[in-house]
Coordinates of all heavy atoms in Angstrom, one line a residue:
R88 N 102.0 99.3 105.0 CA 102.9 99.9 106.1 C 102.0 100.9 106.9 O 101.3 101.7 106.4 CB 104.0 100.6 105.4 CG 105.0 99.7 104.7 CD 106.2 100.5 104.2 NE 107.2 99.6 103.5 CZ 108.3 100.0 103.0 NH1 108.6 101.3 102.9 NH2 109.1 99.1 102.4
H89 N 102.2 100.8 108.2 CA 101.5 101.7 109.2 C 102.5 102.0 110.3 O 103.6 101.5 110.4 CB 100.3 101.0 109.7 CG 99.2 100.7 108.7 ND1 98.2 101.7 108.4 CD2 98.9 99.7 107.9 CE1 97.4 101.2 107.5 NE2 97.8 100.0 107.2
V90 N 102.0 102.9 111.2 CA 102.6 103.2 112.4 C 101.7 102.7 113.6 O 100.6 103.0 113.6 CB 102.9 104.7 112.6 CG1 103.5 105.0 113.9 CG2 103.8 105.2 111.5
A91 N 102.3 101.9 114.5 CA 101.5 101.4 115.6 C 102.1 102.0 116.9 O 103.3 102.5 116.9 CB 101.6 99.9 115.6
V92 N 101.4 101.9 118.0 CA 101.8 102.2 119.3 C 102.0 100.9 120.1 O 101.1 100.0 120.1 CB 100.9 103.1 120.1 CG1 101.3 103.3 121.5 CG2 100.9 104.5 119.4
E93 N 103.2 100.7 120.7 CA 103.5 99.5 121.4 C 103.6 99.7 122.9 O 104.2 100.7 123.3 CB 104.9 98.9 120.9 CG 105.3 97.6 121.6 CD 106.6 97.2 121.1 OE1 106.7 96.5 120.0 OE2 107.7 97.5 121.7
F94 N 102.9 98.8 123.6 CA 103.0 98.8 125.1 C 103.8 97.6 125.5 O 103.4 96.5 125.1 CB 101.6 98.8 125.7 CG 100.6 99.7 125.1 CD1 99.4 99.2 124.6 CD2 100.9 101.0 124.9 CE1 98.4 100.0 124.0 CE2 99.9 101.9 124.3 CZ 98.7 101.4 123.9
S95 N 104.8 97.8 126.3 CA 105.7 96.7 126.7 C 106.2 96.8 128.1 O 106.3 98.0 128.7 CB 106.9 96.5 125.8 OG 107.7 97.7 125.8
R96 N 106.4 95.7 128.8 CA 106.9 95.6 130.1 C 107.7 94.3 130.3 O 107.2 93.3 129.8 CB 105.8 95.7 131.2 CG 106.4 96.0 132.6 CD 105.2 96.3 133.5 NE 105.6 96.8 134.8 CZ 105.4 96.2 136.0 NH1 104.8 95.0 136.0 NH2 105.8 96.7 137.1
D97 N 108.9 94.4 130.9 CA 109.8 93.2 130.9 C 109.1 92.0 131.6 O 108.3 92.2 132.6 CB 111.1 93.5 131.7 CG 111.9 94.5 130.9 OD1 111.7 94.6 129.6 OD2 112.8 95.2 131.5
S98 N 109.5 90.8 131.2 CA 108.9 89.6 131.7 C 109.3 89.2 133.1 O 108.7 88.4 133.8 CB 109.3 88.4 130.8 OG 110.7 88.2 130.7
G99 N 110.4 89.9 133.7 CA 110.8 89.6 135.0 C 109.9 90.2 136.1 O 110.1 89.9 137.3
N100 N 109.0 91.0 135.8 CA 108.1 91.7 136.8 C 107.0 90.8 137.3 O 106.5 90.0 136.5 CB 107.5 93.0 136.2 CG 108.5 94.0 135.9 OD1 109.0 94.7 136.9 ND2 108.9 94.2 134.7
T101 N 106.8 90.8 138.6 CA 105.7 90.0 139.2 C 104.6 90.9 139.8 O 103.7 90.4 140.4 CB 106.3 89.1 140.2 OG1 106.9 89.8 141.2 CG2 107.2 88.1 139.6
D102 N 104.7 92.2 139.7 CA 103.7 93.1 140.2 C 102.8 93.7 139.1 O 103.2 93.5 137.9 CB 104.4 94.3 141.0 CG 105.3 95.1 140.0 OD1 106.1 94.5 139.4 OD2 105.0 96.4 139.9
H103 N 101.7 94.3 139.5 CA 100.8 94.8 138.5 C 101.2 96.2 138.0 O 101.6 97.0 138.7 CB 99.4 94.8 139.1 CG 98.3 95.4 138.2 ND1 97.7 94.7 137.3 CD2 97.9 96.7 138.2 CE1 96.8 95.5 136.6 NE2 96.9 96.7 137.1
C104 N 100.9 96.4 136.7 CA 101.1 97.7 136.1 C 100.2 97.8 134.8 O 100.1 96.9 134.1 CB 102.6 97.9 135.7 SG 102.9 99.6 135.0
E105 N 99.7 99.0 134.6 CA 98.9 99.3 133.4 C 99.6 100.4 132.6 O 100.1 101.4 133.2 CB 97.5 99.8 133.8 CG 96.7 98.7 134.5 CD 95.3 99.1 134.9 OE1 95.0 100.4 134.7 OE2 94.5 98.3 135.4
T106 N 99.7 100.1 131.3 CA 100.5 101.1 130.4 C 99.6 101.3 129.2 O 99.2 100.3 128.6 CB 101.8 100.5 130.0 OG1 102.6 100.2 131.2 CG2 102.6 101.4 129.1
G107 N 99.4 102.5 128.8 CA 98.6 102.7 127.6 C 98.6 104.2 127.2 O 99.4 105.0 127.6
I108 N 97.6 104.5 126.4 CA 97.3 105.9 125.9 C 95.9 106.2 126.0 O 95.0 105.3 125.9 CB 97.8 106.1 124.4 CG1 97.2 105.0 123.5 CG2 99.3 106.1 124.4 CD1 97.5 105.2 122.1
Q109 N 95.5 107.4 126.2 CA 94.1 107.8 126.3 C 93.9 109.1 125.5 O 94.7 110.0 125.4 CB 93.8 108.1 127.8 CG 92.4 108.4 128.1 CD 92.1 108.5 129.6 OE1 93.0 108.8 130.4 NE2 90.9 108.1 130.0
Q110 N 92.6 109.2 125.0 CA 92.2 110.4 124.3 C 90.9 110.9 124.8 O 89.9 110.1 124.9 CB 92.1 110.1 122.8 CG 91.7 111.4 122.0 CD 91.8 111.2 120.5 OE1 91.0 111.7 119.7 NE2 92.9 110.5 120.0
Q111 N 90.8 112.1 125.2 CA 89.6 112.7 125.6 C 88.7 113.0 124.4 O 89.3 113.6 123.4 CB 89.8 114.0 126.4 CG 90.5 113.8 127.7 CD 89.7 112.9 128.7 OE1 88.5 113.1 128.8 NE2 90.4 112.0 129.4
I112 N 87.5 112.7 124.3 CA 86.6 112.8 123.2 C 85.6 113.9 123.4 O 85.5 114.9 122.7 CB 86.0 111.5 122.7 CG1 87.1 110.5 122.4 CG2 85.1 111.7 121.5 CD1 86.7 109.1 122.1
G113 N 84.7 113.7 124.4 CA 83.7 114.6 124.7 C 82.7 115.0 123.6 O 82.4 116.1 123.3
V114 N 82.2 114.0 122.9 CA 81.3 114.2 121.7 C 80.0 113.6 122.0 O 79.8 112.5 122.5 CB 81.9 113.5 120.4 CG1 80.8 113.5 119.3 CG2 83.2 114.2 120.0
T115 N 78.9 114.4 121.8 CA 77.5 114.0 122.0 C 77.1 113.2 120.8 O 77.2 113.7 119.7 CB 76.6 115.2 122.3 OG1 77.1 115.8 123.5 CG2 75.2 114.7 122.5
L116 N 76.5 112.1 121.0 CA 75.9 111.3 119.9 C 74.6 111.9 119.4 O 73.7 112.1 120.2 CB 75.7 109.8 120.3 CG 77.0 109.0 120.7 CD1 76.6 107.6 121.1 CD2 78.0 109.0 119.6
R117 N 74.5 112.0 118.1 CA 73.3 112.6 117.5 C 72.4 111.4 117.1 O 71.2 111.6 116.9 CB 73.6 113.4 116.3 CG 74.6 114.5 116.6 CD 74.8 115.5 115.4 NE 73.7 116.4 115.3 CZ 72.8 116.3 114.3 NH1 72.9 115.4 113.4 NH2 71.9 117.2 114.2
V118 N 72.9 110.2 116.9 CA 72.2 109.1 116.4 C 72.5 107.9 117.4 O 73.6 107.4 117.4 CB 72.5 108.7 115.0 CG1 71.6 107.4 114.6 CG2 72.2 109.8 114.1
H119 N 71.6 107.5 118.3 CA 71.9 106.5 119.3 C 72.0 105.1 118.7 O 72.5 104.2 119.4 CB 70.9 106.6 120.4 CG 70.8 107.9 121.1 ND1 71.9 108.3 121.9 CD2 69.9 108.8 121.2 CE1 71.6 109.5 122.4 NE2 70.4 109.8 122.0
S120 N 71.5 104.9 117.5 CA 71.5 103.6 116.9 C 72.7 103.3 116.1 O 72.8 102.4 115.3 CB 70.3 103.4 116.0 OG 70.3 104.3 114.9
S121 N 73.8 104.1 116.3 CA 75.0 103.9 115.5 C 76.2 104.2 116.3 O 76.4 105.4 116.6 CB 74.9 104.7 114.2 OG 76.2 104.7 113.5
L122 N 77.1 103.2 116.6 CA 78.3 103.5 117.3 C 79.2 102.3 117.0 O 78.9 101.1 117.3 CB 78.1 103.7 118.8 CG 79.4 104.0 119.6 CD1 79.9 105.4 119.1 CD2 79.1 104.0 121.1
R123 N 80.4 102.5 116.4 CA 81.3 101.4 116.0 C 82.7 101.7 116.4 O 83.2 102.8 116.1 CB 81.1 101.1 114.5 CG 81.9 99.9 114.0 CD 81.6 99.6 112.5 NE 80.3 99.2 112.3 CZ 79.9 98.0 112.4 NH1 80.7 97.0 112.7 NH2 78.6 97.7 112.2
L124 N 83.3 100.8 117.1 CA 84.7 100.9 117.5 C 85.5 99.8 116.7 O 85.2 98.7 116.7 CB 84.9 100.7 119.0 CG 86.3 100.6 119.6 CD1 87.0 102.0 119.4 CD2 86.2 100.2 121.1
A125 N 86.7 100.3 116.1 CA 87.5 99.4 115.3 C 89.0 99.6 115.6 O 89.4 100.7 116.0 CB 87.2 99.5 113.9
A126 N 89.8 98.6 115.4 CA 91.2 98.7 115.6 C 91.9 97.5 115.0 O 91.3 96.4 114.8 CB 91.6 98.8 117.1
D127 N 93.2 97.7 114.7 CA 94.1 96.6 114.3 C 95.0 96.3 115.5 O 95.6 97.2 116.0 CB 94.9 96.9 113.1 CG 94.1 97.0 111.8 OD1 93.0 96.3 111.8 OD2 94.4 97.8 110.9
I128 N 95.0 95.1 116.0 CA 95.8 94.7 117.2 C 96.7 93.6 117.0 O 96.6 92.8 116.1 CB 94.8 94.4 118.4 CG1 94.0 93.1 118.1 CG2 93.9 95.6 118.7 CD1 93.2 92.6 119.2
W129 N 97.7 93.5 117.9 CA 98.8 92.5 117.8 C 99.3 92.3 119.2 O 99.6 93.2 120.0 CB 99.9 93.0 116.9 CG 101.1 92.1 116.7 CD1 101.4 91.2 115.7 CD2 102.3 92.2 117.5 NE1 102.6 90.7 115.9 CE2 103.2 91.3 117.0 CE3 102.7 93.0 118.6 CZ2 104.5 91.1 117.5 CZ3 104.0 92.8 119.2 CH2 104.9 91.9 118.6
I130 N 99.5 91.0 119.7 CA 100.0 90.7 121.0 C 101.0 89.6 120.9 O 100.8 88.6 120.1 CB 98.9 90.2 121.9 CG1 97.7 91.2 122.0 CG2 99.4 89.9 123.3 CD1 96.5 90.8 122.8
D131 N 102.2 89.8 121.6 CA 103.3 88.9 121.5 C 103.7 88.3 122.8 O 104.4 87.3 122.9 CB 104.5 89.5 120.8 CG 105.5 88.5 120.4 OD1 105.2 87.5 119.7 OD2 106.7 88.7 120.8
A132 N 103.3 88.9 123.9 CA 103.7 88.4 125.3 C 102.6 88.8 126.3 O 102.0 89.9 126.2 CB 105.0 89.0 125.6
Q133 N 102.5 88.0 127.3 CA 101.6 88.3 128.4 C 101.9 87.5 129.7 O 102.3 86.4 129.6 CB 100.1 88.1 128.0 CG 99.7 86.7 128.1 CD 98.2 86.5 128.0 OE1 97.6 86.3 126.9 NE2 97.5 86.6 129.2
S134 N 101.7 88.1 130.8 CA 101.7 87.5 132.1 C 100.9 88.3 133.1 O 101.1 89.6 133.1 CB 103.2 87.3 132.6 OG 103.2 86.7 133.9

């Protein structure tokens, strides 16, 4: 069990829109040879 964030927009739309979340990080890397991005994702609709 987890908590996810869902982004949704009705299928009747024909114009463009972007919906999401953002986090400011502002962290300097001390080791340039190591950087890894990971996530669990799920998609159910698109147009």
Side-chain angles (χ1 to χ4, degrees):
R88 293 182 178 180
H89 292 273
V90 176
V92 173
E93 179 181 277
F94 315 127
S95 60
R96 193 170 190 245
D97 291 341
S98 59
N100 291 286
T101 58
D102 62 306
H103 175 82
C104 181
E105 296 178 354
T106 304
I108 55 175
Q109 185 173 29
Q110 182 170 140
Q111 296 297 319
I112 299 175
V114 171
T115 299
L116 296 179
R117 306 185 76 251
V118 180
H119 297 296
S120 63
S121 171
L122 185 63
R123 185 175 293 272
L124 175 64
D127 291 331
I128 64 172
W129 176 95
I130 303 174
D131 193 53
Q133 79 167 93
S134 176

